Amino acid sequence: MHFDSPSRRRFIGKMLALAGGSSVPFTLNLAAMSNAAAAGATDYKAIVCLFLNGGNDHFNTVLATDSTSWNEYRRVRTTADAGSIALPAAGAVGGVLPIVPSAPQAGRSFALHPSLRPLKDLFDAGRVAVLANVGTLVQPMTLAQYKSGSLAAPPRLFSHNDQQAMWQSSQTEQAANAGWGGRLGDLMASGNGSAAFTCVSTAGNALFLSGRSVRQYQLSGATTAPIYNLAGALFGAPASANPLRQIVAGDYSDPFQKEHAAVTARAINAQAALSGAMLGAGAAGVADPLPYINPNTGVAAVNPLALQLQTVARIIGGRNALGIKRQVFYVSLGGFDSHDFQLHNQADQLAKVAHAMAYFDGVMAGLQGADMRKQVTLFTASDFGRTFTSNGDGTDHGWGSHHFIMGGAVKGKNIYGSMPVTGLGHELDVGSGALLPTTSIDQYGATLASWFGLSATQIADVFPNIGNFGTRNLGFMA
């Protein structure tokens, strides 16, 4: 298998230069693509990646409910030793929530998990779409090709770390050094007045946002974290002459000290700029999210994912002050590795997802008195799907899975891609009902990138395998 790695291209360029050749054509080409993409951005747009860490069980998230599919679902997911990991039928207490796509799939009907009531409402309103059976792929393949090894499959399937890396960068954990969100940022950063805030994570360091040139800005809480004791007076010195700043970000002659001081100075300046521009917590238009209700206990609790999305909204609120035209964000929620206690745990996790997404949609509807929903698109991602069979009280690692896209520019109330057969032993079953994907992450991301303003050439630079797929735009963006 071949990946056109950015580190490989940089290495070749450097070797050419050392050998008397030139890496300038490639450098100029990348710069030209970046400048062209940035120059074309006259409005504001943001993409938000919501990563469900652990591998969400899509079979209980988006379900086929026609009689044939539902009977097989109940048969396979009801086990003698553990009772069942199957959900109740529509109309039953705590039953699944029917959805009606605008483009019917012959003979099929569908529903969402009972915890996803807010997403059902957004789906019905046309602001949420479902993408069926998407996953890591190098090129399209049949089950026979996968089993024979005649075509390259993604390496280290079913491994959490590697498949997270593949989802976020198109490379395995060991090889990855730039994510596709970061590569989008590389092409758009020059059009931003404050390029430091092109890629922003509220969930720590994210491979998804690592670029070839852009650095992701990370927030671990509700606000930017300053260096302790840096802003005010210290040891009797006024704030303007705070000695700590000179110590941590002063001018040094030693190259290592000098570089460390430069990095620290950038962090200090960025913190000051962002904290001054982003909207305050609880400010008009970004009110604190109401508690979500745990479906298992009925108890109201703080939703950490909603707080992450509130921070994203507050940063979007500072876009004009920062001169930002394009931004890529990363938020995440863990707890989706459901080998055990799946019915209980997934219900709570999906309740958090639906509550947080609905909150974010509401905030974007009136941010600073403007409807920002057409300018901000959120999409979900996860390590992989799960097996259709139960291990007794949960499911094991799978491959393809179903995901949500939300926003005012989304052509919602529809399921994109073909929902696979519900059952075992069919043409997409790679084992225990785990799905061979029929749509690639490259296609998923390329559709978002096209809406973001990238050309076909730029999209091919961001997604190294996109040329292997006939359809580059899946059509879910207006």
Side-chain angles (χ1 to χ4, degrees):
M1 179 175 50
H2 170 66
F3 288 103
D4 192 10
S5 165
S7 60
R8 177 178 177 272
R9 291 197 293 268
R10 284 199 297 269
F11 174 78
I12 292 172
K14 290 176 182 178
M15 292 302 100
L16 285 171
L18 289 172
S22 174
S23 62
V24 172
F26 170 73
T27 304
L28 290 178
N29 184 49
L30 185 59
M33 285 195 294
S34 176
N35 291 336
T42 57
D43 56 352
Y44 176 84
K45 288 183 179 179
I47 292 174
V48 183
C49 173
L50 166 50
F51 205 90
L52 311 178
N53 282 298
N56 179 48
D57 176 49
H58 59 289
F59 285 117
N60 271 14
T61 302
V62 182
L63 307 92
T65 56
D66 52 275
S67 59
T68 301
S69 300
W70 187 257
N71 289 340
E72 187 67 358
Y73 165 79
R74 294 290 302 180
R75 184 187 72 82
V76 174
R77 291 211 147 187
T78 301
T79 55
D81 55 344
S84 177
I85 61 162
L87 297 167
V93 175
V96 297
L97 306 172
I99 56 173
V100 181
S102 57
Q105 298 190 18
R108 310 295 297 276
S109 61
F110 305 100
L112 300 181
H113 189 285
S115 291
L116 296 178
R117 168 64 67 179
L119 282 194
K120 170 183 163 51
D121 294 341
L122 290 170
F123 182 92
D124 292 344
R127 293 197 300 280
V128 163
V130 173
L131 180 58
N133 195 19
V134 57
T136 56
L137 284 172
V138 180
Q139 66 264 303
M141 63 167 50
T142 65
L143 183 63
Q145 290 167 330
Y146 166 72
K147 289 185 173 180
S148 68
S150 59
L151 289 180
R156 300 188 178 99
L157 287 168
F158 318 113
S159 157
H160 283 293
N161 290 349
D162 290 296
Q163 293 310 298
Q164 286 178 6
M166 288 290 296
W167 259 93
Q168 296 184 33
S169 73
S170 303
Q171 295 176 302
T172 59
E173 182 185 27
Q174 291 78 9
N177 59 10
W180 62 265
R183 297 196 292 265
L184 287 177
D186 288 331
L187 293 171
M188 298 308 238
S190 64
N192 288 337
S194 300
F197 309 115
T198 301
C199 296
V200 181
S201 170
T202 66
N205 186 43
L207 173 60
F208 175 72
L209 293 182
S210 297
R212 300 161 182 162
S213 58
V214 300
R215 297 179 177 91
Q216 60 184 289
Y217 191 87
Q218 301 173 38
L219 295 87
S220 57
T223 187
T224 58
I227 296 176
Y228 188 65
N229 276 333
L230 188 67
L234 186 65
F235 303 133
S240 60
N242 189 316
L244 181 58
R245 169 134 191 172
Q246 180 59 36
I247 293 170
V248 300
D251 187 18
Y252 294 92
S253 57
D254 179 87
F256 292 101
Q257 291 177 312
K258 193 175 188 69
E259 179 61 21
H260 181 271
V263 170
T264 305
R266 282 198 302 270
I268 293 169
N269 294 335
Q271 187 274 332
L274 185 56
S275 62
M278 67 188 293
L279 301 180
V286 285
D288 292 335
L290 295 173
Y292 88 105
I293 305 300
N294 184 320
N296 300 312
T297 64
V299 174
V302 172
N303 184 350
L305 180 59
L307 293 178
Q308 289 186 58
L309 288 172
Q310 182 191 35
T311 301
V312 170
R314 292 169 55 214
I315 295 171
I316 292 173
R319 66 197 181 281
N320 293 331
L322 295 169
I324 301 290
K325 300 290 184 64
R326 292 290 185 274
Q327 284 182 293
V328 187
F329 293 94
Y330 179 88
V331 300
S332 72
L333 181 67
F336 288 91
D337 193 17
S338 53
H339 292 284
D340 302 291
F341 309 110
Q342 178 169 304
L343 280 180
H344 180 277
N345 293 344
Q346 191 189 29
D348 187 36
Q349 295 305 95
L350 290 181
K352 292 174 186 173
V353 170
H355 171 266
M357 288 176 64
Y359 163 77
F360 190 64
D361 175 80
V363 170
M364 289 298 103
L367 187 67
Q368 299 167 306
D371 189 344
M372 295 291 294
R373 289 178 296 188
K374 287 188 176 180
Q375 294 164 266
V376 180
T377 300
L378 179 150
F379 73 98
T380 66
S382 192
D383 315 22
F384 34 62
R386 314 293 295 189
T387 56
F388 186 49
T389 57
S390 169
N391 61 20
D393 194 28
T395 51
D396 296 320
H397 299 176
W399 191 354
S401 56
H402 312 321
H403 285 283
F404 298 108
I405 312 103
M406 180 184 80
V410 174
K411 295 159 69 174
K413 201 177 181 181
N414 208 357
I415 296 176
Y416 292 84
S418 178
M419 286 289 286
V421 171
T422 300
L424 300 172
H426 54 77
E427 63 181 5
L428 297 177
D429 179 7
V430 299
S432 300
L435 295 176
L436 172 66
T438 47
T439 298
S440 75
I441 298 162
D442 293 71
Q443 294 169 291
Y444 192 8
T447 306
L448 293 164
S450 179
W451 169 78
F452 212 46
L454 273 66
S455 69
T457 300
Q458 293 157 356
I459 288 172
D461 182 67
V462 172
F463 299 98
N465 298 318
I466 193 63
N468 297 335
F469 299 91
T471 302
R472 297 190 178 196
N473 192 317
L474 301 174
F476 57 74
M477 298 299 297

